[in-house]
Amino acid sequence: MSFAVYSFRLTFAMADEEVVDPKKYLEESCKPKCVKPLLEYQACVKRIQGDDSGHKHCTGQYFDYWHCIDKCVSCTKAVYETEMKKGEAGGDYIVLSLLHVVVSRDV
Amino acid sequence: MVGGGVIQQILRRKLHSQSVATPVLSWFSSKKAHEDVGSSGLRALAFLGAGVTGLLSFSTVASADEAEHGLECPDYPWPHDGILSSYDHASIRRGHQVYQQVCASCHSMSLISYRDLVGVAYTEEEAKAMAAEIEVVDGPNDEGEMFTRPGKLSDRLPQPYPNEQAARFANGGAYPPDLSLITKARHNGQNYVFALLTGYREPPAGISIREGLHYNPYFPGGAIAMPKMLNDEAVEYEDGVPATEAQMGKDIVSFLSWAAEPEMEERKLMGFKWIFLLSLALLQAAYYRRLKWSVLKSRKLVLDVVN
């Protein structure tokens, strides 16, 4: 499921570099867990579509949905991996690969 | 509004004392039948009016409250969170680079000097070279004139605007706050700053933001003057780490956390050491107290009844 999203993101990156924003990627992969608030929000959007008074809005449902996504993203084991990301510095590579083993089981 | 709800409760209790489980509306109609209730009835009617309006206004206020406080930011696992965890100093260095290239055009950090960066993110030579790139106005010379000179380690980080009014004028009335203490100056500061910087999204249906402001659910009220500043690859890191939005957000928050709490590492070491030692001292003191009191605690008192 996540591979399709991954390759979709790559098309926006430069040809020689594969830069994927980890937070956006995790938010996409958390969407299936937060379907209920998303449906509530979409129902609200539909409800207020005809309204012209300008007083109706869907902030509540929007907040519920994004709160669910945020909680899921911040709890994902993959967050620990992205927090420890380092370049050619080398020092943290051992730790990184150990965490990667943990991540591949869960994600 | 809460008072309206309370008054409604009191009113319901009054109703229950008068008659068993009378709904409010039927009480309204029965009031007309019982004209002899008199002044107490009028007072109750006034309470009813207050209660109903209180409840109605409470419901509209509740929906405004959510945007007012902003979306609650989640707690991220910062590498410096543990009781013995230090800052990620490479991240502080990258964060300072992000600050210089992205944020320093509007935000000052007037409490940080170049010398503070030595040993934390840069070597002394690097910090000196960085300081020398800026021009600083210095005190009157022997002729009484102010002059400019290249910066030194002892100088503060440069300010983008000379004063708050200039900053407001250049930013449509909004003042970009000084960032020296920002992670301590906002509730749950570190997580809030990260969520804010990476949380620019489309507004919900029904919300429109005026020209010049941008929607950010984490900002109290939802409409923030700062546009989205962190975009993928906005900065090219010296150490080659890919500069995604989340990476830049993490690095800038590490830098700002250090700027607000540079003593954190020493504080944690001191805290761990002294809590350990004082726990041992507590055990020793408890033993000593019980030892001394054992004389009194183990005595026997005999009541000799006089015949």
Side-chain angles (χ1 to χ4, degrees):
Chain A
M1 74 134 178
S2 49
F3 287 104
V5 175
Y6 203 88
S7 55
F8 178 71
R9 287 263 174 263
L10 287 175
T11 57
F12 285 95
M14 300 193 315
D16 48 329
E17 284 196 9
E18 296 170 354
V19 175
V20 176
D21 183 42
K23 187 162 184 251
K24 291 219 171 43
Y25 170 66
L26 287 172
E27 282 173 0
E28 284 293 318
S29 59
C30 275
K31 263 194 180 155
K33 292 202 185 129
C34 294
V35 174
K36 194 155 154 298
L38 180 61
L39 290 175
E40 294 279 333
Y41 175 66
Q42 285 168 346
C44 172
V45 173
K46 223 170 170 190
R47 268 201 308 276
I48 69 164
Q49 227 158 28
D51 173 59
D52 283 326
S53 70
H55 290 309
K56 298 189 185 168
H57 58 90
C58 294
T59 307
Q61 290 85 347
Y62 183 87
F63 273 23
D64 291 338
Y65 170 64
W66 280 109
H67 186 72
C68 173
I69 296 268
D70 280 342
K71 226 200 270 185
C72 167
V73 166
S74 64
C75 293
T76 320
K77 284 237 163 65
V79 164
Y80 288 83
E81 181 204 349
T82 58
E83 288 294 333
M84 297 290 288
K85 213 174 221 158
K86 274 201 174 174
E88 279 84 74
D92 249 36
Y93 261 140
I94 299 170
V95 183
L96 185 63
S97 55
L98 278 176
L99 280 173
H100 211 79
V101 168
V102 175
V103 163
S104 58
R105 265 197 286 126
D106 288 20
V107 176
Chain B
M1 298 109 221
V2 180
V6 169
I7 289 168
Q8 190 80 344
Q9 294 272 356
I10 297 169
L11 185 63
R12 281 220 189 84
R13 264 187 235 120
K14 263 182 114 164
L15 282 174
H16 282 298
S17 68
Q18 286 172 1
S19 56
V20 183
T22 324
V24 173
L25 284 172
S26 69
W27 182 90
F28 214 168
S29 54
S30 68
K31 195 248 164 232
K32 290 201 187 94
H34 296 275
E35 283 299 330
D36 56 329
V37 182
S39 61
S40 66
L42 274 172
R43 210 184 304 138
L45 182 61
F47 277 140
L48 170 66
V52 167
T53 50
L55 264 183
L56 284 177
S57 58
F58 188 66
S59 62
T60 53
V61 163
S63 60
D65 261 351
E66 266 176 324
E68 229 170 47
H69 293 131
L71 178 58
E72 190 192 331
C73 55
D75 287 321
Y76 293 100
W78 297 100
H80 52 260
D81 267 348
I83 53 166
L84 282 181
S85 303
S86 72
Y87 284 123
D88 178 355
H89 286 260
S91 185
I92 296 180
R93 187 183 170 115
R94 289 194 297 269
H96 176 255
Q97 191 184 345
V98 173
Y99 165 74
Q100 249 185 341
Q101 294 182 13
V102 177
C103 321
S105 52
C106 299
H107 286 277
S108 59
M109 281 191 83
S110 53
L111 298 179
I112 311 294
S113 309
Y114 283 98
R115 60 176 172 79
D116 296 325
L117 293 165
V118 175
V120 170
Y122 297 97
T123 62
E124 193 178 325
E125 294 79 31
E126 285 172 335
K128 268 197 189 140
M130 258 191 336
E133 284 170 20
I134 62 159
E135 290 270 307
V136 173
V137 175
D138 206 349
N141 57 13
D142 294 338
E143 293 169 16
E145 290 169 352
M146 305 297 283
F147 59 94
T148 56
R149 57 159 175 81
K152 293 188 286 197
L153 281 179
S154 57
D155 292 318
R156 298 277 168 94
L157 261 50
Q159 301 196 3
Y161 305 105
N163 50 54
E164 187 185 324
Q165 288 84 346
R168 283 190 187 275
F169 181 64
N171 290 288
Y175 174 59
D178 185 280
L179 298 179
S180 318
L181 293 167
I182 199 76
T183 54
K184 284 203 288 196
R186 298 288 179 270
H187 172 70
N188 200 5
Q190 295 174 11
N191 293 309
Y192 170 73
V193 172
F194 181 81
L196 187 84
L197 291 174
T198 57
Y200 281 86
R201 299 191 185 118
E202 286 299 313
I207 299 281
S208 59
I209 309 290
R210 72 163 170 87
E211 192 68 36
L213 296 181
H214 309 84
Y215 183 74
N216 192 307
Y218 303 97
F219 189 69
I224 191 172
M226 175 173 75
K228 179 169 147 95
M229 296 301 293
L230 296 183
N231 298 294
D232 286 340
E233 308 210 58
V235 166
E236 203 180 303
Y237 281 134
E238 287 173 344
D239 51 4
V241 169
T244 58
E245 193 183 323
Q247 180 71 51
M248 287 193 287
K250 183 234 172 179
D251 292 333
I252 193 75
V253 173
S254 296
F255 173 64
L256 293 174
S257 305
W258 166 79
E261 293 175 280
E263 80 287 352
M264 181 269 271
E265 287 152 343
E266 197 188 334
R267 182 188 74 214
K268 281 185 184 173
L269 286 172
M270 219 189 290
F272 189 81
K273 172 183 168 186
W274 284 103
I275 288 176
F276 172 67
L277 291 179
L278 289 173
S279 312
L280 293 181
L282 178 70
L283 292 173
Q284 179 269 331
Y287 175 81
Y288 188 70
R289 181 260 184 204
R290 288 182 66 80
L291 182 67
K292 291 297 165 190
W293 274 78
S294 61
V295 179
L296 290 175
K297 292 247 185 171
S298 55
R299 68 184 167 174
K300 272 200 182 142
L301 295 167
V302 177
L303 276 171
D304 206 351
V305 178
V306 177
N307 287 340

